[in-house]
Amino acid sequence: MTDQNIIEISGVEKRFGTFVAVRDLNLELKEGEFFSLLGPSGCGKTTALRMIAGFQDHDAGSIRIAGQDMANIPANKRPANMVFQSYAIFPHLNVGDNVAFGLRKLGLGKVEMQNRVAEALEMVELGGLQSRKADELSGGQRQRVALARALVMRPKVLLLDEPLSALDKNLREAMQLEMRRLQQKLGITFVMVTHDQYEAMTMSDRIGVMFQGKLEQVDRPEVLYARPCNRRVASFIGGMNFLEARVRADNGASVEVDLQGFGPLTIDVNPNAISRSPDLLAGIRPEQLEISATRPEDYDASLQGIVSDIAFYGESVHYYVRAEGVEDPIAVAVPNYFHTVDYKRGDQVWLGVQNASVIDLGAREG
Amino acid sequence: MAGLLKSEAGKGLALSAPASLYVGLLVAGPLGILVAYSFWTQTYVEIDKTLTWANYLEAATDPLVRHLVLRSIFIAGAVTAATVALAYPIAYFIAFRTNKKTLWLLLITIPFWSSYLLRVFSWKLILGFNGVMNSALLSLGVIDEPLTFLLYNEFAVVLTLAHAWAPFAILPIYVSLQKIDRSLLEAATDLGCSKLERFIRVTLPLTVPGIIAASLIIFIPTVGDYVTPSLVGGSQGKMIANLIQVQFGPANNWPLGATLSLVAMAAVGVVAILFVLLATALGRRIR
């Protein structure tokens, strides 16, 4: 990654009739960055990607790629290539001709073209499959052909629309790592649209979270997880327990609060949480809570409750604990130590939490 | 029997039996009779059932037969080319450029609502010596005397049939266009194609099956068409079917008529196969 901006989007808006698909989008992407747009379906992330690609024009604002304004540049002239959600492999062409499709426009010699196709196919580990027919490819192979077909153009920006959503879980996880490796090796800027938070977190340098056409937060995955800016972002990325917190004293960098169910705690002020008010919304990640049969010591606050539900995930077990004064059951994630922690539904348990584990999510109505 | 009906193959056979029986009796049967006749000889009112190649020899050597077969294939080829060329833009419009697909599909079937014969007759009214076209042009002062090249020639046959066949060409081409995944078109654009290049490199090759289907549906029955050439074709618009009709009618030579029918069928078959091979090969060449 360099400090050079490759994509600069400012004030971009897109309307379909009266529906605003994307509002006031501002984003700067660095050269060589792996960026993900994350959000639920219909949040405008795909529209944003299609505006960068040129398949959709924007109603306001500007999009610049490599310093050049894209306003009057059609999709076929932009220095960006796309991997489509359906992969869009040309069914009438074999693998080699699919990859060579864009190259034929460049007037390369026959040998050079063959070399570049071969090189691109090697890159995605499909070396030697040039003459394979499109309908003889597996889902994973189709994905790789789509990737090779776009990368062979040596674009400044590669746009990926839900590139892994059609693959099964194991293949998807393998491809996540492989695509990340490939991106770092090539140093090309990748812009990926996904609704899968884990995919976004494992692959990206930075993630932009979108809701209802609005980009809510742009940050590194670790920051997004530890300091989400509001309730929507917090609930979309990872699990989160939401509790009310009444501010008793504001110390500037931290506030003393009375946390629903847990009592007095001192929590750090979240610089990403936009609005401040006397009543805060606080979040606690399920894996940050300690569950025990007796009142936990060495914890800043604790509460007592009853196990209402248990969900087994293999690598971890989630206990849902009902406590007095808290409406929703509190989720606690415990790594699966092969039943050294084993509570039954209806058991009386204690939950402990540290100051540092409680996240300030700004105003409660935020 | 019950066991047979339970198996997939048995069910398939049972379901297709009525159609197979129908086709077997009404197509294969007459065709067999036709083949038999072609090896017999007409002796005034009797049929001499001694097997002979004489009819085929006559068909092969008679210049009139060769001329009419070639002209039939040429006219059918022209009708097919004209119809497909006119149908493609309409099918394209319905598939890509309108939201009222059902309405348009309904509109293009309107010619079917009137009899085929009536439609041919109306072309006669339009193209005739004192017809709509000539009267209009005369009254507008564009021409001084009626045009005579409009009716009773190959042109009139091609025009009339191209109009009559239009829906048969539009529908299969529309279906093949409709099937194209829109993301393929975007991918072509993304990889640098202009709209025209995209059409030539993606849309056209993917609609080759539709073009072939449309062409065969039109070409095969047109070669053997008898009504249109006799009504609007005049003497230079006559086709092989008119000669076959003469053999079964006025000339009363059924064996020769049968032979000519089979020769025409064989010619159509050969041309159709060559066309399919050629069109498929051309479609594959586009990369």
Side-chain angles (χ1 to χ4, degrees), chain A residues 284-304:
Chain A
I284 307 173
R285 297 284 183 198
E287 73 277 8
Q288 301 291 327
L289 286 163
E290 170 71 16
I291 186 167
S292 60
T294 53
R295 179 190 273 273
E297 312 212 339
D298 307 330
Y299 278 83
D300 295 327
S302 60
L303 63 65
Q304 195 178 21

Side-chain angles (χ1 to χ4, degrees), chain A residues 50 82 86 97 101 105, chain B residues 183 186 190 192 197 201 287:
Chain A
R50 290 172 61 81
M82 183 127 157
S86 66
D97 287 329
F101 193 91
K105 288 277 297 162
Chain B
S183 69
E186 286 188 344
D190 185 67
E197 287 166 329
R201 295 181 64 189
R287 277 151 209 266

